[in-house]
Amino acid sequence: MTVSYILNGTTLTFNRETGALYSVAHPEAGTLIEGGKGILDIAWPYHTDYDTLRVNATAQYRGEAPQIIAEEGKVTVKYSKMARTIDTGAVDELEGGIAAEVIFAECEDGKSISLRCHIKNNSKTTIRQVLFPDMSGIVSRTDDRSDKITFLAGVCEPFRELRSTPETRENFFAWTESCAGRFYHAGGLQEAPMTGRWYDFGTRFGGFGMYRKHWGWGPESLEDMGYNEKLWVKLDNIEDKLRLAFVKDIKIESDGEYDSGEYILTCHGGTWLNGIAPYKEYIAENVHRVVPVPQRAKEMLGFRTIFMNDGYPKDPTDYSWKYSDMPMIGEDMAEHGLYDMNLWYCYSLALPFGKDKFYEEWGGEEEFKKSVQKLKEMGIVATPLVSWISLWDDSCKHYGIEKRTGSWAETPKSVPMFAAPYCNKWACFQISDHSLQQWREDVLAGLRYLRDEVGCPNICWDQYVLGKNCDNFVHDVINEFRLETEEMYPGTLFSSESTLYFESELDNTDFTWNWQYWNGKKAKDLRPYMHAVTTCRPNMNVDSDPVKVKYIFMDNLMLNAYPTRPESYNGSALISEYPEFSKAIKTVAALRKAYLDYFVDSTMISDCAVTVEPECRTTGYVKDGKMLLIVYKDKDEDCTLPLDLTPFLAGEKFNVRICDEDMNETANYAIGAKDNLTVSGKGSQLYMVEISAR
């Protein structure tokens, strides 16, 4: 009933009668799929009685058995007519059926397998959806929490999170994830946790990684760059098996064809680090930096954001800071090891941009320039925010645009505070057609004005959004600006808000400014991103929580400090107004300076040197045959971490030196390559663990 083939060390077993991918096994990872029901699933509605008609490997009606063709390094499952899930009887519009083939081929890396499907619609009706690769029958390897789907910016624990319970079943079934499953989109940090077109399923002892070998616009929708990559995560609560399927909501008309392009499957032993390796290489091949990442962007702990006002400066009570306050804020920053000030609403965000956009109530452009110069003398860089994708009311009037698609009015003086319908000034139209020549010229002229006339060559770009019809203007204008600015002011920085164009922003963005937090639904784990992407550091925002400061430091994320006073705008307080927060920033600034090489030029390994789920949060780095583990102890009791150093360091015996967050040595001893590490000391503290071969 089944037949097996080995491709690059992975055993693929197929059902001879249906062509279903029945099982997947790997010598190090073990059995990953057992009782799988297919690899390709197609929605083929015949309206309206058969809206739910599908064709797939487990269907039983009016199909023909597939051919399974084995060649050297390649297996093809070929269907001349795929079976239907419903016995529709004889229907003329359906009689031609759907032909398909799925190709499994060895990759040159010696460990991965390329998956590709080709579909031919021989019927007279339209195919409306394709699920491919459709990995069903995925089995739990250990317990609910140990089986994880790892993305670039987070994790999912599907056997726990999607479990059916009486409580979940009380909700409407089609909205309940335990019944309907969960969807993730790629595209960018706005769609975290997936972000990139990659995932890994498994435990610390094995699993498989999967990514799509496509970069840039499309392929299914040329209006998207990754967002069209949608992953369906569905737990079968009866069989207790998982299904991971990429969903393509497309139309294949009668006599039409579809080619999926390549997906790369990498079965592996060990952690997700082994599953992400081919994708990491693929990213490196496709990122084309307009200028190298400046050294300062690699070295800096983070930056400070201030919201100067909410856009109504004629109200003398409607601001947090004036231009003359900037040097005072700078002094507070320097005391805490932060030297980059990100300025929001320091002028009108309307286009065209010029001297008239600075607030005369605060002394106008000249006063702003004086404060920028004072900051420069203190070693602090002023980085203004530009927001020219959302065209505000004045900009819309200038360009003759009558439509408004939203509002970013944000003020404690209105009810509601956000997007009050009567606050017209910040009603906006998000420009999606970037062909408007005058707007293009105004954007570049505005950037140059800030650099050449105001003395601010470092820029923060709000909403990295590309245009309709594959318009790369935003990418190209940033590149143009960066190239000419690098000639004039070497080492300047460019940050932006990551939206849905991750594969574009990596070319020109040094770090992000996104609304990302540790707490609640915004919680993310960006360590896979930090491992795979070496050209852009994601930010993480923190108001005044000292623990979050330490987490951000551990993961080498860009700290965005914006302490806030109650009932006020973000960034309305000084860092020194919150003593514990202040102490934490000073602590991690000193630690970063002491261990800078690990943060600037090493390989991030997350907590993958630990063989179980760590009882204390742990992040590791490997450089030149040495390892740095950063451990945050949240309790006074000893923290024991079982380590396996063999994937990362050569040798059998290793020296361990542990220092607390004040850089006092607390322990110095030897361990083996597979041994327990014990960290002792007070809770709520960081511990720096250096490991090197004896």
Side-chain angles (χ1 to χ4, degrees), residues 509-521:
T509 298
D510 301 321
F511 58 91
T512 66
W513 201 120
N514 275 63
W515 291 98
Q516 297 190 120
Y517 324 88
W518 282 104
N519 55 307
K521 293 182 179 179

Side-chain angles (χ1 to χ4, degrees), residues 50 53 60-62 84-90:
Y50 300 110
L53 179 65
Q60 302 175 17
Y61 304 104
R62 295 181 174 269
R84 308 175 194 179
T85 55
I86 304 172
D87 190 356
T88 60

